[in-house]
């Protein structure tokens, strides 16, 4: 192996299968851009998100780095790697899904990197340059100080590819890592160490300021982990006038009001039941002018057909703004995986089907077919009177209104020539 000072890394984010009934949209990826930020400045980086563009296999690269976030990206990631390796290229894998699927990935990789990259990847580069790349770099329980997290390399994105009907998609950013909760569907505590790890506030605010987009998705697992932190963060965000969406914040009037002042536009709220807790949460958000997108999981052990019908009625009754129905999926390293494995209820490990849109386990109170049917029922019934596109457009209208009020409204290019499908949609466009 020759020793080369300047090297080229090509980062690839493999394509994955979107949910069947979901309107197809592509947010700009975040993990590969955070990985790129952890690389030495002397390294030339190119980036391909296969969800929005084709991979140019002929492009020269000293090292191909495959970044995989979702389990259902892995089989495609492996295919891509096999092809590069047949052509004699060196391939390394990293990202959340690699960390979950390390062992299988070894068959398709020259090296795998498990865990977070900041302050840890230069060793890999040194080894590679000296021709002694190791098969496994395991940094799972070796968490970098959050002070080392650099600004995501958004300069690597081809921004024009991330538009929906002419509107620029949100930019992703994170303010903390880790999660102290232990939800039964989730692998995050396994990945992030079961501890809330906020980034330094000044760095977060400066990164947000530098984002050339007024609308952001704060991808933190759950900001509801530390009330004092949320107060500080939201107060510091007010002057930025950004509009943002996130996973749940703390369920208190003070925090919700502060989040709204800081530009919170809608919350992505997990929902699995029809409890008063959920009803009140949705009400609290809405009273503060914050919309709610439900991440609704169906197929839990207490769900039968009747329960799912009542759940959909409930969501309509509480006027949930938008719903994304997913089927319970036993991803590796989650409590639900351990339970279903113990009970012998896992049907298969065809990871390409682990999209949260397929039934991959034996439901307790339904057949596989009836759960699939109820998934279709949930999507179609919730959106019967108002399409997903239109409900989403209404949420956007709210953000346009808020931006018009504080003078940050710009770059809205919703227009009748953008294939809006029906007259209802056109009416919304003409109201602009
Ligand atoms: C953003 C996000 C999304 C976005 C993705 C946008 C996009 N274009 O990529 C959207 C909203 C589309 C999404 C969808 C889904 N998501 Co999601 N998502 C996340 C989330 C919140 C953040 C990921 C992130 O940006 N992390 C921040 C970065 C900094 O961390 P990182 O990825 O670990 O990156 C570091 C290292 O991994 C490493 N690294 C990264 N790449 C590489 C590459 C190399 C070569 C190396 C060496 C290192 C390396 O360096 C980075 C810096 O240290 C995570 C949870 C979380 N907070 O991590 C869930 C998560 C990844 N999603 C999850 C799930 C379940 C889903 C869904 C399947 C279901 C759902 N609705 O939630 C859907 C997809 C449905 C479908 N079929 O379309 C699960 C993963 C389950 C799994 N095993 O597949 C997670 C972990 C959430 C959870 N609570 O369980 N998601
Ligand atoms: S679902 Fe969210 S809150 Fe629950 S453990 Fe996972 S990241 Fe934490």
């Amino acid at each position: 192996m020759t020793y080369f000072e300047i090297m080229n890394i090509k980062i690839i984010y493999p394509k994955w299968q979107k949910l069947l009934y979901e309107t197809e949209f592509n947010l700009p990826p975040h993990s590969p851009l955070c990985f790129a930020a952890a690389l030495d400045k002397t390294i030339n980086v190119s980036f391909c998100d296969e969800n929005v563009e084709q991979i140019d296999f002929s492009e020269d690269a000293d090292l191909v780095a495959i970044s995989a976030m979702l389990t259902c990206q892995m089989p495609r990631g492996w295919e891509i790697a096999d092809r590069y390796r047949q052509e004699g290229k060196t391939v390394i894998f990293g990202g959340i899904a690699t960390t979950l699927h390390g062992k299988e990935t070894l068959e398709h990789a020259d090296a795998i990197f498990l865990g977070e990259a900041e302050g840890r990847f230069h060793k890999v580069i040194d080894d590679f340059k000296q021709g002694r790349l190791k098969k496994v770099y395991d940094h799972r329980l070796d968490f970098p100080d959050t002070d080392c997290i650099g600004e995501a390399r958004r300069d690597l994105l081809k921004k024009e590819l991330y538009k929906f009907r002419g509107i620029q998609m949100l930019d992703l950013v994170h303010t903390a890592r880790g999660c102290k909760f232990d939800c039964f569907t989730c692998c995050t505590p396994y990945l992030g160490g079961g501890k809330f790890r906020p980034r330094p506030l000044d760095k977060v605010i400066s990164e947000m300021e530098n984002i050339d987009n007024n609308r952001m998705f704060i991808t933190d697992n759950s900001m509801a982990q530390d009330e004092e932190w949320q107060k500080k963060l939201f107060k510091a965000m007010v002057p930025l006038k950004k509009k943002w969406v996130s996973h749940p914040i703390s369920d208190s009037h003070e925090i919700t009001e502060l989040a709204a002042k800081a530009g919170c536009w809608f919350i992505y709220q997990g929902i699995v039941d029809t409890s008063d807790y959920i009803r009140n949460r949705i009400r609290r958000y809405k009273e503060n002018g914050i919309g709610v997108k439900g991440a609704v999981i169906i197929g839990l052990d207490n769900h039968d057909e009747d329960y799912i019908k009542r759940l959909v009625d409930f969501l309509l009754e509480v006027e949930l703004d938008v719903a994304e129905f997913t089927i319970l999926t036993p991803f590796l390293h989650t409590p639900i995986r351990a339970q279903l494995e113990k009970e012998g209820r896992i049907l298969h490990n065809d990871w390409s089907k682990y999209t949260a849109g397929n039934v991959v386990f034996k439901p307790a109170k339904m057949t596989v077919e009836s759960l699939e049917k109820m998934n279709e029922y949930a999507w179609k019934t919730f959106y019967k009177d108002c399409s997903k596109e239109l409900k989403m457009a209404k949420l956007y209208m709210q953000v346009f209104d808020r931006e018009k009020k504080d003078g940050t409204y710009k770059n809205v290019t919703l227009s009748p020539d953008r294939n809006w499908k029906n007259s209802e949609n056109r009416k919304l466009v003409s109201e602009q």
Side-chain angles (χ1 to χ4, degrees), residues 11-13 16-20 22 25-36 38 49 51 64-73 92-101 112-118 121 124 144 149 162 172-174 176-178 185-189 191 217-222 247 268 293 295 324 326 329 331-332 334 354-357:
I11 306 177
I12 297 178
Y13 196 55
W16 76 81
Q17 179 69 54
K18 306 296 179 305
L19 298 171
L20 181 61
E22 176 67 284
F25 64 90
N26 286 292
L27 286 168
H30 192 48
S31 319
L33 307 188
C34 293
F35 165 59
D49 174 3
N51 292 283
V64 176
I66 299 193
S67 174
M69 179 190 78
L70 296 173
T71 287
C72 59
Q73 277 180 298
I92 184 164
F93 273 77
I96 293 171
T98 302
T99 305
L100 299 174
H101 294 269
I112 60 169
F113 183 96
L114 313 175
E116 297 176 14
E118 290 81 5
F121 200 71
V124 181
I149 300 173
Y162 300 98
L172 277 57
V173 62
H174 68 290
R177 290 190 184 164
T185 55
C186 185
C187 57
T188 303
L191 297 164
F217 171 15
I218 301 179
T219 67
D220 296 29
N221 302 301
S222 164
H247 295 121
Y268 198 57
K293 177 170 178 179
E324 182 182 84
T326 53
T329 303
F331 293 110
L332 286 184
T334 60
Y354 276 59
T355 59

Side-chain angles (χ1 to χ4, degrees), residues 148-429:
C148 317
I149 300 173
E151 284 194 19
R153 288 280 312 272
R154 296 180 185 81
D155 58 299
L156 295 171
L157 290 173
K158 300 178 185 85
K159 278 226 156 194
E160 66 285 3
L161 300 179
Y162 300 98
K163 287 191 175 166
F164 184 77
R165 300 207 168 123
I167 303 183
Q168 189 68 48
M169 295 305 276
L170 316 176
D171 265 80
L172 277 57
V173 62
H174 68 290
T175 75
R177 290 190 184 164
C179 185
K180 67 177 189 183
F181 301 122
D182 193 13
C183 300
F184 68 107
T185 55
C186 185
C187 57
T188 303
Y190 169 83
L191 297 164
K195 201 169 152 237
F196 177 61
R197 296 160 49 222
R199 294 176 59 194
L201 196 59
D202 55 336
K203 292 203 170 164
V204 170
I205 296 297
S206 144
E207 175 161 359
M208 287 178 174
E209 250 174 339
N210 292 340
I211 295 176
D212 177 26
N213 185 349
N214 193 43
R215 301 181 199 132
M216 310 183 301
F217 171 15
I218 301 179
T219 67
D220 296 29
N221 302 301
S222 164
M223 286 204 277
Q225 302 190 62
D226 183 331
E227 294 211 1
E228 288 313 307
W229 159 251
Q230 288 168 86
K231 285 183 202 166
K232 276 192 223 144
L233 173 69
F234 298 158
K235 281 181 189 156
M237 283 176 69
V238 174
L240 303 180
K241 296 187 182 173
K242 297 271 182 184
K243 304 293 170 281
W244 50 276
V245 315
S246 76
H247 295 121
I249 52 174
S250 287
D251 186 22
S252 88
H253 181 69
E254 189 189 359
I255 302 270
T256 312
E257 202 177 42
L258 265 175
K261 277 195 191 135
C264 181
W265 157 35
F266 72 83
I267 291 281
Y268 198 57
Q269 174 70 46
I271 300 177
V272 294
D273 61 32
T274 58
S275 60
D276 281 346
Y277 173 75
I278 291 293
R279 182 189 297 275
N280 293 335
R281 274 221 93 163
I282 293 175
R283 187 185 302 141
R284 197 195 296 284
Y285 286 133
K286 288 185 160 242
E287 279 168 1
N288 283 282
I290 297 175
V292 189
K293 177 170 178 179
V296 191
I297 306 181
I298 59 169
L300 271 59
D301 279 359
N302 63 332
H303 288 181
D304 58 12
E305 294 186 17
D306 187 56
Y307 192 103
I308 295 172
K309 284 183 184 165
R310 282 185 287 126
L311 180 58
V312 177
D313 292 347
F314 169 83
L315 301 176
L316 290 166
E317 184 205 323
V318 296
E319 297 181 351
L320 183 74
D321 295 292
V322 181
E324 182 182 84
F325 296 94
T326 53
I327 297 172
L328 179 69
T329 303
F331 293 110
L332 286 184
H333 304 292
T334 60
I336 187 68
R337 176 85 193 184
Q339 182 204 321
L340 295 179
E341 266 176 2
K342 208 164 120 205
E343 295 169 359
R345 290 167 60 195
I346 303 288
L347 293 176
H348 61 76
N349 287 334
D350 175 354
W351 303 125
S352 66
K353 301 278 191 305
Y354 276 59
T355 59
N358 298 301
V359 184
V360 299
F361 72 103
K362 264 193 224 152
K365 291 191 171 171
M366 283 174 278
T367 61
V368 168
E369 294 72 28
S370 60
L371 179 51
E372 281 166 356
K373 250 179 49 207
M374 291 317 292
N375 182 40
E376 182 179 357
Y377 168 90
W379 280 94
K380 293 200 171 153
T381 310
F382 186 82
Y383 291 111
K384 188 161 152 272
D385 293 331
C386 182
S387 68
K388 168 88 199 288
E389 287 81 357
L390 196 48
K391 280 185 190 271
M392 204 61 216
K394 284 179 180 168
L395 266 184
Y396 266 88
M397 292 311 210
Q398 289 171 15
V399 84
F400 298 163
D401 282 348
R402 290 176 65 177
E403 288 172 342
K404 279 174 190 163
K405 277 193 195 123
D406 66 18
T408 53
Y409 175 77
K410 61 174 183 187
N411 84 1
V412 177
T413 53
L414 266 184
S415 69
D417 62 355
R418 295 274 177 187
N419 299 326
W420 285 73
K421 280 186 193 131
N422 57 40
S423 55
E424 217 177 356
N425 285 335
R426 275 199 292 277
K427 184 165 155 262
L428 270 167
V429 172

